[in-house]
PDB file of all heavy atoms in Angstrom:
ATOM      1  N   TRP A 216     -15.068  20.995   6.516  1.00 91.00           N
ATOM      2  CA  TRP A 216     -14.669  20.009   5.523  1.00 91.00           C
ATOM      3  C   TRP A 216     -13.258  20.301   5.011  1.00 91.00           C
ATOM      4  O   TRP A 216     -12.404  19.425   4.950  1.00 91.00           O
ATOM      5  CB  TRP A 216     -15.696  20.038   4.392  1.00 91.00           C
ATOM      6  CG  TRP A 216     -15.597  18.928   3.424  1.00 91.00           C
ATOM      7  CD1 TRP A 216     -15.184  19.021   2.129  1.00 91.00           C
ATOM      8  CD2 TRP A 216     -15.916  17.547   3.645  1.00 91.00           C
ATOM      9  NE1 TRP A 216     -15.235  17.783   1.539  1.00 91.00           N
ATOM     10  CE2 TRP A 216     -15.676  16.860   2.444  1.00 91.00           C
ATOM     11  CE3 TRP A 216     -16.375  16.820   4.747  1.00 91.00           C
ATOM     12  CZ2 TRP A 216     -15.870  15.490   2.298  1.00 91.00           C
ATOM     13  CZ3 TRP A 216     -16.571  15.459   4.612  1.00 91.00           C
ATOM     14  CH2 TRP A 216     -16.320  14.808   3.410  1.00 91.00           C
ATOM     15  N   THR A 217     -13.039  21.578   4.669  1.00 91.00           N
ATOM     16  CA  THR A 217     -11.721  21.995   4.170  1.00 91.00           C
ATOM     17  C   THR A 217     -10.659  21.786   5.246  1.00 91.00           C
ATOM     18  O   THR A 217      -9.550  21.321   4.967  1.00 91.00           O
ATOM     19  CB  THR A 217     -11.748  23.485   3.779  1.00 91.00           C
ATOM     20  OG1 THR A 217     -12.959  23.735   3.081  1.00 91.00           O
ATOM     21  CG2 THR A 217     -10.566  23.856   2.925  1.00 91.00           C
ATOM     22  N   ILE A 218     -11.002  22.150   6.469  1.00 92.00           N
ATOM     23  CA  ILE A 218     -10.037  21.992   7.561  1.00 92.00           C
ATOM     24  C   ILE A 218      -9.643  20.524   7.726  1.00 92.00           C
ATOM     25  O   ILE A 218      -8.472  20.186   7.876  1.00 92.00           O
ATOM     26  CB  ILE A 218     -10.618  22.561   8.875  1.00 92.00           C
ATOM     27  CG1 ILE A 218     -10.736  24.080   8.764  1.00 92.00           C
ATOM     28  CG2 ILE A 218      -9.740  22.184  10.064  1.00 92.00           C
ATOM     29  CD1 ILE A 218     -11.431  24.736   9.935  1.00 92.00           C
ATOM     30  N   LEU A 219     -10.639  19.657   7.630  1.00 93.00           N
ATOM     31  CA  LEU A 219     -10.360  18.230   7.769  1.00 93.00           C
ATOM     32  C   LEU A 219      -9.373  17.757   6.699  1.00 93.00           C
ATOM     33  O   LEU A 219      -8.372  17.123   7.000  1.00 93.00           O
ATOM     34  CB  LEU A 219     -11.663  17.423   7.684  1.00 93.00           C
ATOM     35  CG  LEU A 219     -11.504  15.899   7.690  1.00 93.00           C
ATOM     36  CD1 LEU A 219     -10.879  15.417   8.984  1.00 93.00           C
ATOM     37  CD2 LEU A 219     -12.853  15.206   7.488  1.00 93.00           C
ATOM     38  N   TRP A 220      -9.661  18.110   5.436  1.00 92.00           N
ATOM     39  CA  TRP A 220      -8.834  17.581   4.349  1.00 92.00           C
ATOM     40  C   TRP A 220      -7.505  18.288   4.209  1.00 92.00           C
ATOM     41  O   TRP A 220      -6.505  17.686   3.859  1.00 92.00           O
ATOM     42  CB  TRP A 220      -9.569  17.650   3.004  1.00 92.00           C
ATOM     43  CG  TRP A 220     -10.726  16.709   2.958  1.00 92.00           C
ATOM     44  CD1 TRP A 220     -12.041  17.044   2.847  1.00 92.00           C
ATOM     45  CD2 TRP A 220     -10.681  15.273   3.047  1.00 92.00           C
ATOM     46  NE1 TRP A 220     -12.822  15.908   2.872  1.00 92.00           N
ATOM     47  CE2 TRP A 220     -12.021  14.820   2.986  1.00 92.00           C
ATOM     48  CE3 TRP A 220      -9.657  14.336   3.187  1.00 92.00           C
ATOM     49  CZ2 TRP A 220     -12.349  13.468   3.054  1.00 92.00           C
ATOM     50  CZ3 TRP A 220      -9.984  12.996   3.247  1.00 92.00           C
ATOM     51  CH2 TRP A 220     -11.310  12.578   3.185  1.00 92.00           C
ATOM     52  N   ARG A 221      -7.493  19.619   4.458  1.00 90.00           N
ATOM     53  CA  ARG A 221      -6.282  20.390   4.172  1.00 90.00           C
ATOM     54  C   ARG A 221      -5.340  20.472   5.361  1.00 90.00           C
ATOM     55  O   ARG A 221      -4.153  20.674   5.208  1.00 90.00           O
ATOM     56  CB  ARG A 221      -6.652  21.818   3.744  1.00 90.00           C
ATOM     57  CG  ARG A 221      -7.394  21.894   2.441  1.00 90.00           C
ATOM     58  CD  ARG A 221      -6.409  21.745   1.278  1.00 90.00           C
ATOM     59  NE  ARG A 221      -7.106  21.725   0.000  1.00 90.00           N
ATOM     60  CZ  ARG A 221      -7.563  22.826  -0.595  1.00 90.00           C
ATOM     61  NH1 ARG A 221      -7.399  24.001  -0.026  1.00 90.00           N
ATOM     62  NH2 ARG A 221      -8.193  22.735  -1.753  1.00 90.00           N
ATOM     63  N   ILE A 222      -5.887  20.369   6.577  1.00 91.00           N
ATOM     64  CA  ILE A 222      -5.027  20.575   7.744  1.00 91.00           C
ATOM     65  C   ILE A 222      -4.918  19.319   8.604  1.00 91.00           C
ATOM     66  O   ILE A 222      -3.829  18.812   8.859  1.00 91.00           O
ATOM     67  CB  ILE A 222      -5.548  21.751   8.596  1.00 91.00           C
ATOM     68  CG1 ILE A 222      -5.477  23.030   7.745  1.00 91.00           C
ATOM     69  CG2 ILE A 222      -4.709  21.914   9.859  1.00 91.00           C
ATOM     70  CD1 ILE A 222      -6.168  24.194   8.342  1.00 91.00           C
ATOM     71  N   VAL A 223      -6.066  18.802   8.994  1.00 92.00           N
ATOM     72  CA  VAL A 223      -6.040  17.679   9.936  1.00 92.00           C
ATOM     73  C   VAL A 223      -5.482  16.417   9.281  1.00 92.00           C
ATOM     74  O   VAL A 223      -4.601  15.757   9.829  1.00 92.00           O
ATOM     75  CB  VAL A 223      -7.451  17.419  10.509  1.00 92.00           C
ATOM     76  CG1 VAL A 223      -7.445  16.195  11.399  1.00 92.00           C
ATOM     77  CG2 VAL A 223      -7.941  18.639  11.273  1.00 92.00           C
ATOM     78  N   LEU A 224      -5.981  16.096   8.103  1.00 93.00           N
ATOM     79  CA  LEU A 224      -5.537  14.867   7.435  1.00 93.00           C
ATOM     80  C   LEU A 224      -4.028  14.845   7.191  1.00 93.00           C
ATOM     81  O   LEU A 224      -3.355  13.901   7.601  1.00 93.00           O
ATOM     82  CB  LEU A 224      -6.319  14.661   6.129  1.00 93.00           C
ATOM     83  CG  LEU A 224      -5.934  13.421   5.335  1.00 93.00           C
ATOM     84  CD1 LEU A 224      -6.433  12.164   6.028  1.00 93.00           C
ATOM     85  CD2 LEU A 224      -6.486  13.470   3.917  1.00 93.00           C
ATOM     86  N   PRO A 225      -3.478  15.897   6.545  1.00 91.00           N
ATOM     87  CA  PRO A 225      -2.024  15.842   6.307  1.00 91.00           C
ATOM     88  C   PRO A 225      -1.214  15.759   7.594  1.00 91.00           C
ATOM     89  O   PRO A 225      -0.217  15.045   7.661  1.00 91.00           O
ATOM     90  CB  PRO A 225      -1.725  17.166   5.578  1.00 91.00           C
ATOM     91  CG  PRO A 225      -3.028  17.657   5.075  1.00 91.00           C
ATOM     92  CD  PRO A 225      -4.092  17.104   5.969  1.00 91.00           C
ATOM     93  N   MET A 226      -1.695  16.452   8.641  1.00 90.00           N
ATOM     94  CA  MET A 226      -0.903  16.455   9.873  1.00 90.00           C
ATOM     95  C   MET A 226      -0.984  15.152  10.655  1.00 90.00           C
ATOM     96  O   MET A 226      -0.120  14.861  11.464  1.00 90.00           O
ATOM     97  CB  MET A 226      -1.321  17.620  10.768  1.00 90.00           C
ATOM     98  CG  MET A 226      -0.731  18.930  10.275  1.00 90.00           C
ATOM     99  SD  MET A 226      -0.909  20.236  11.479  1.00 90.00           S
ATOM    100  CE  MET A 226       0.113  19.664  12.814  1.00 90.00           C
ATOM    101  N   SER A 227      -2.048  14.384  10.418  1.00 90.00           N
ATOM    102  CA  SER A 227      -2.131  13.133  11.170  1.00 90.00           C
ATOM    103  C   SER A 227      -1.680  11.944  10.339  1.00 90.00           C
ATOM    104  O   SER A 227      -1.905  10.794  10.721  1.00 90.00           O
ATOM    105  CB  SER A 227      -3.551  12.925  11.705  1.00 90.00           C
ATOM    106  OG  SER A 227      -4.490  13.252  10.737  1.00 90.00           O
ATOM    107  N   TRP A 228      -1.062  12.231   9.213  1.00 88.00           N
ATOM    108  CA  TRP A 228      -0.665  11.142   8.331  1.00 88.00           C
ATOM    109  C   TRP A 228       0.238  10.081   8.986  1.00 88.00           C
ATOM    110  O   TRP A 228       0.072   8.887   8.731  1.00 88.00           O
ATOM    111  CB  TRP A 228      -0.042  11.687   7.038  1.00 88.00           C
ATOM    112  CG  TRP A 228       0.174  10.596   6.056  1.00 88.00           C
ATOM    113  CD1 TRP A 228       1.349  10.187   5.538  1.00 88.00           C
ATOM    114  CD2 TRP A 228      -0.834   9.731   5.498  1.00 88.00           C
ATOM    115  NE1 TRP A 228       1.148   9.123   4.696  1.00 88.00           N
ATOM    116  CE2 TRP A 228      -0.175   8.816   4.650  1.00 88.00           C
ATOM    117  CE3 TRP A 228      -2.232   9.623   5.658  1.00 88.00           C
ATOM    118  CZ2 TRP A 228      -0.851   7.816   3.956  1.00 88.00           C
ATOM    119  CZ3 TRP A 228      -2.896   8.628   4.958  1.00 88.00           C
ATOM    120  CH2 TRP A 228      -2.206   7.743   4.121  1.00 88.00           C
ATOM    121  N   PRO A 229       1.192  10.480   9.854  1.00 86.00           N
ATOM    122  CA  PRO A 229       2.018   9.447  10.496  1.00 86.00           C
ATOM    123  C   PRO A 229       1.181   8.403  11.233  1.00 86.00           C
ATOM    124  O   PRO A 229       1.405   7.200  11.086  1.00 86.00           O
ATOM    125  CB  PRO A 229       2.874  10.237  11.487  1.00 86.00           C
ATOM    126  CG  PRO A 229       2.920  11.611  10.944  1.00 86.00           C
ATOM    127  CD  PRO A 229       1.617  11.824  10.225  1.00 86.00           C
ATOM    128  N   THR A 230       0.199   8.861  12.003  1.00 88.00           N
ATOM    129  CA  THR A 230      -0.651   7.912  12.725  1.00 88.00           C
ATOM    130  C   THR A 230      -1.509   7.110  11.751  1.00 88.00           C
ATOM    131  O   THR A 230      -1.673   5.898  11.900  1.00 88.00           O
ATOM    132  CB  THR A 230      -1.585   8.658  13.698  1.00 88.00           C
ATOM    133  OG1 THR A 230      -0.811   9.571  14.442  1.00 88.00           O
ATOM    134  CG2 THR A 230      -2.272   7.688  14.627  1.00 88.00           C
TER     135      THR A 230
END
Side-chain angles (χ1 to χ4, degrees):
Chain A
W216 191 250
T217 317
I218 292 174
L219 175 62
W220 292 116
R221 294 281 176 78
I222 297 170
V223 176
L224 179 72
M226 282 192 65
S227 43
W228 189 242
T230 311

